[in-house]
Amino acid sequence: MLKYTLRRILGMIPMLFLISVVVFTLALAMPGDPFSGEIDPNNTDPEYIEEMREKLGLNDPIHVQYGRWITNFVQGDFGKSTRYKMPVSDLIAERMPNTIFLGVTSLAITYILAFAMGMYAGRRPYTPGDHFIGGFNYFGLAIPSYIAGVFAIYLFSFQLGWIPFQGSVDITLEKGTLDYWISKIHHVITPAIVLGLLSTASYTQFLRNDIIENSRKDFVRTARAKGTPERKIYNVHILRNSVIPLITFLGFDIVTLVNGAIITEAIFTYPGIGQLFLSSVTNQDYPVLMTLTMMFSFLVLLGNLIADILYGVVDPRIRLD
Amino acid sequence: MEVLTEKNTKQTPSKPPKSMSPWAIARRKFVRNKLAMVSSFFLLTVMIMSFLAPYITTIDITRVNIGQMSLPPSGEHWLGTDKSGRDVFVRLLYGGRVSLTVGIAATALIVVFGTVIGSIAGYFGGVVDSVLMRFTDFILNFPFLVFVIVLNAILFGKLSGVWVLIVVISVLGWGGVARLVRSKILSEKENEYILAAISIGCKPSKVIIKHLLPNVLSTIIVQATILFATMIVAESGLSYLGFGVPTEVPSWGNMLSTSRDPDVMQNMPWTWIPPAVVLTLTILSINFIGEGIKDALNPKSYR
């Protein structure tokens, strides 16, 4: 197992290198000078611009520029945001907690709902309750998150006034107080449900089908024959077997959250990493854009790695490959 | 089926009754699936109405009409007008045209490209397979949305209109199909008929196109329907964020993005609810059709 894990981690390194080359190339291909943030835009004296370009190394050959960028990057120096005039690492550190909070809440809601509904439907297949959950799943899979988000805002915040429609916290509240945290949860709950809608539907469906399939197996018949209560059969014997494949989805959750956070944060104007990314594209804030793209790619790689390793844990045959 | 059999035996008693072809069986199963049929009907209606939009209405969609701004639904404007005085119903038709075009074109490109890469990798194996599959893994490891947004920003203005988006989505989206086709080809090429085809001297291109692909076609078709829905979602999602098709082009996503203005969202729901509903129904019906096709092409399922 350890050997397999190590091999997978080592396999990530060339991938990360290639992705960094792609990100760098894309940044060069974008309109404007990717690293010109330090140049004062109001000073149009060609001599000054040339001097600054020379000083910032923009006249060096491309591979030298790449080398410098990646060296700084690996050492944690991501450059300075051209828009916010502050180090990118600080900017990300400021927004990151919001996104993590959103992601974790979304995961928690997803798993709680999926387990509750999946176990209910799996135990009573083809009953009205199961069909109701099945219908919900169809909608969950078909409705894109932005439509669900827009409807949620329209219904719950404009019509009913239950939830705020933007921001991550009520800014008038003092940091650290109980009200502050309640306000935070109040702000995050709807985006989190919207973000987790798709996963909830697919996990519920998966768990239901797996429970039904497992309930026809021999060990269940044995358990029934020796008089185990039906409750225990479903909640212990079957669930244990059905949860295993579900665990492997954890890695893919990271990928879903990365892609989903961008859209969800835009709908709810929630100040997180996804929104920072979108604004960096619109404002051509290249240091932020490059760092975030690298970070997202790294997270996706990590997610796939976790999924693969968990597959290896669950199914020993995969490790031999 | 019984009627057919009787007829056949009466006419030519010496020949055994002709059984139905796999495609005919699949078609019968699909036609009997009510949900899939209703969905097909709905999707067809949406497609026809969208693509014939210029013939259905003669209203100019690009003109800003100051006298008729922000009107609620009425007899004259079935779904009202938006902030620039443009008729929502007409824009919905034209928007469907753009959204469906992006969906169809991107799906077609992805399926063709993914199938070519996947079947070459699967058929030849060895070094070719390793190289192509590493490349596929590489593409699959990109966060799709992030790179589509970045690439779109670069290519914006260099290609015309919706084609930027179609090309970008397709370039980043073919990985899944390639992997799927490869795995199917890998198992299919172990069969004896492939060995026979090779031993009578068929060229690799002929073996792949004439013998292997027809046998993995059902998987590709099912995958294509799922992709079609995914691509429509991707287009409208990106347009909603402002990184999809150019804002002056009407598409369902662009219409929906007007709801980002709180005033429009609260006071003019008739401008954004119709595209949202049509979009959801379209995706739902594509999903049902996909289920139907999957069921119909699966020889183990009986309905």
Side-chain angles (χ1 to χ4, degrees):
Chain A
M1 192 60 222
L2 186 69
K3 206 174 136 201
Y4 172 75
T5 313
L6 280 178
R7 207 168 61 215
R8 293 288 326 191
I9 291 175
L10 284 179
M12 261 175 78
I13 294 169
M15 214 55 119
L16 272 177
F17 169 71
L18 281 175
I19 286 176
S20 75
V21 172
V22 170
V23 170
F24 187 80
T25 318
L26 287 181
L28 282 181
M30 287 189 94
D33 245 343
F35 307 101
S36 60
E38 307 277 321
I39 299 175
D40 181 7
N42 296 323
N43 193 342
T44 46
D45 181 17
E47 229 168 82
Y48 161 77
I49 293 178
E50 200 45 46
E51 191 191 326
M52 281 307 278
R53 283 184 67 94
E54 190 63 45
K55 202 174 124 201
L56 293 168
L58 292 178
N59 292 339
D60 292 345
I62 287 172
H63 63 92
V64 177
Q65 289 192 40
Y66 170 76
R68 192 167 46 232
W69 174 68
I70 197 74
T71 322
N72 287 339
F73 193 91
V74 171
Q75 289 167 355
D77 175 11
F78 305 141
K80 237 172 118 180
S81 160
T82 54
R83 187 176 144 85
Y84 297 94
K85 304 289 177 214
M86 60 194 280
V88 177
S89 43
D90 290 359
L91 198 59
I92 292 178
E94 189 187 300
R95 302 288 193 97
M96 200 61 183
N98 279 338
T99 300
I100 293 178
F101 188 54
L102 174 66
V104 170
T105 319
S106 164
L107 270 187
I109 294 175
T110 302
Y111 276 90
I112 292 171
L113 282 181
F115 267 89
M117 293 196 298
M119 280 165 71
Y120 180 89
R123 192 164 166 185
R124 303 166 188 80
Y126 311 112
T127 56
D130 175 42
H131 288 308
F132 177 75
I133 290 173
F136 164 81
N137 284 337
Y138 258 116
F139 270 97
L141 290 171
I143 296 183
S145 60
Y146 43 89
I147 291 185
V150 167
F151 272 109
I153 293 179
Y154 181 68
L155 202 63
F156 297 126
S157 55
F158 286 128
Q159 299 296 323
L160 299 168
W162 288 352
I163 53 154
F165 66 91
Q166 61 177 3
S168 74
V169 72
D170 187 349
I171 43 166
T172 57
L173 291 167
E174 203 182 321
K175 215 171 177 177
T177 56
L178 183 67
D179 281 349
Y180 176 83
W181 283 104
I182 290 176
S183 159
K184 252 190 125 91
I185 292 172
H186 194 196
H187 278 81
V188 89
I189 199 101
T190 341
I193 292 175
V194 168
L195 181 55
L197 191 66
L198 186 78
S199 325
T200 310
S202 48
Y203 293 177
T204 308
Q205 206 60 16
F206 183 87
L207 195 62
R208 170 194 176 265
N209 294 343
D210 209 61
I211 287 178
I212 294 175
E213 199 177 303
N214 272 331
S215 66
R216 298 201 187 107
K217 285 195 175 150
D218 286 346
F219 71 88
V220 175
R221 201 193 305 152
T222 313
R224 276 210 185 103
K226 71 174 186 165
T228 319
E230 201 71 0
R231 238 181 104 94
K232 207 180 162 196
I233 294 180
Y234 273 96
N235 293 350
V236 177
H237 294 239
I238 292 181
L239 193 62
R240 246 188 217 181
N241 283 288
S242 298
V243 161
I244 291 172
L246 207 59
I247 289 173
T248 56
F249 289 159
L250 257 178
F252 297 121
D253 279 336
I254 298 179
V255 182
T256 324
L257 287 180
V258 166
N259 277 327
I262 295 175
I263 289 187
T264 319
E265 286 178 8
I267 305 167
F268 291 90
T269 29
Y270 185 87
I273 294 292
Q275 234 202 1
L276 186 65
F277 171 74
L278 288 182
S279 78
S280 77
V281 178
T282 350
N283 299 319
Q284 308 194 339
D285 192 346
Y286 293 107
V288 178
L289 176 64
M290 287 167 83
T291 312
L292 286 180
T293 314
M294 280 302 286
M295 199 181 81
F296 288 140
S297 311
F298 178 71
L299 281 177
V300 170
L301 267 181
L302 193 73
N304 289 340
L305 176 81
I306 293 174
D308 277 355
I309 290 177
L310 287 176
Y311 268 132
V313 172
V314 172
D315 187 349
R317 283 171 302 179
I318 289 174
R319 281 179 240 161
L320 298 171
D321 177 28
Chain B
M1 199 139 104
E2 272 174 25
V3 182
L4 258 178
T5 328
E6 265 176 34
K7 212 170 157 192
N8 275 351
T9 36
K10 265 179 204 162
Q11 281 168 346
T12 49
S14 57
K15 274 188 191 167
K18 196 181 169 209
S19 62
M20 291 170 86
S21 79
W23 294 110
I25 294 173
R27 199 167 56 234
R28 267 172 67 107
K29 270 200 235 170
F30 188 80
V31 170
R32 281 186 190 169
N33 187 339
K34 281 198 194 99
L35 209 51
M37 281 313 279
V38 171
S39 304
S40 317
F41 182 72
F42 175 78
L43 189 63
L44 218 61
T45 318
V46 170
M47 276 185 170
I48 291 172
M49 294 212 17
S50 304
F51 286 110
L52 293 182
Y55 303 100
I56 294 174
T57 109
T58 48
I59 303 170
D60 183 12
I61 46 156
T62 48
R63 215 182 70 211
V64 175
N65 206 335
I66 309 224
Q68 301 182 319
M69 284 187 330
S70 312
L71 292 177
S74 64
E76 197 188 342
H77 299 286
W78 288 358
L79 296 172
T81 58
D82 65 5
K83 271 197 155 170
S84 312
R86 294 170 297 197
D87 188 280
V88 174
F89 180 70
V90 175
R91 268 174 76 80
L92 195 63
L93 292 183
Y94 277 91
R97 210 167 130 104
V98 173
S99 295
L100 292 171
T101 309
V102 173
I104 293 171
T107 308
L109 283 176
I110 287 177
V111 166
V112 169
F113 200 58
T115 308
V116 169
I117 297 274
S119 49
I120 289 176
Y123 180 77
F124 291 102
V127 184
V128 181
D129 183 30
S130 311
V131 171
L132 286 178
M133 277 305 114
R134 284 297 84 75
F135 186 51
T136 312
D137 284 345
F138 180 55
I139 293 285
L140 280 172
N141 268 324
F142 284 127
F144 181 73
L145 207 56
V146 173
F147 275 79
V148 168
I149 290 172
V150 172
L151 268 179
N152 215 17
I154 293 172
L155 290 175
F156 200 77
K158 290 189 181 130
L159 282 163
S160 69
V162 292
W163 285 98
V164 185
L165 189 67
I166 295 174
V167 169
V168 169
I169 298 183
S170 316
V171 164
L172 288 168
W174 55 270
V177 178
R179 225 183 222 185
L180 185 81
V181 171
R182 171 184 171 264
S183 70
K184 282 278 157 191
I185 295 265
L186 270 185
S187 63
E188 195 65 36
K189 77 167 179 180
E190 297 303 321
N191 288 330
E192 269 94 4
Y193 69 90
I194 299 298
L195 189 66
I198 295 170
S199 58
I200 59 170
C202 280
K203 279 182 293 181
S205 57
K206 199 174 180 188
V207 178
I208 293 176
I209 294 168
K210 284 217 94 161
H211 300 285
L212 282 171
L213 283 184
N215 285 301
V216 298
L217 196 60
S218 60
T219 322
I220 298 175
I221 292 174
V222 172
Q223 190 65 20
T225 32
I226 300 168
L227 262 175
F228 184 37
T230 319
M231 289 305 128
I232 292 179
V233 173
E235 181 278 321
S236 40
L238 285 162
S239 301
Y240 176 83
L241 293 175
F243 294 96
V245 293
T247 36
E248 69 272 10
V249 178
S251 88
W252 289 340
N254 276 341
M255 293 178 73
L256 200 62
S257 75
T258 57
S259 73
R260 294 180 74 180
D261 177 357
D263 176 46
V264 172
M265 176 180 264
Q266 189 165 14
N267 302 321
M268 296 168 62
W270 62 84
T271 57
W272 58 266
I273 287 184
V277 170
V278 173
L279 195 58
T280 309
L281 286 179
T282 307
I283 293 159
L284 205 59
S285 63
I286 295 173
N287 284 355
F288 283 136
I289 294 171
E291 290 277 300
I293 294 179
K294 196 167 143 191
D295 221 47
L297 291 176
N298 180 5
K300 283 178 197 140
S301 83
Y302 292 101
R303 268 192 191 250

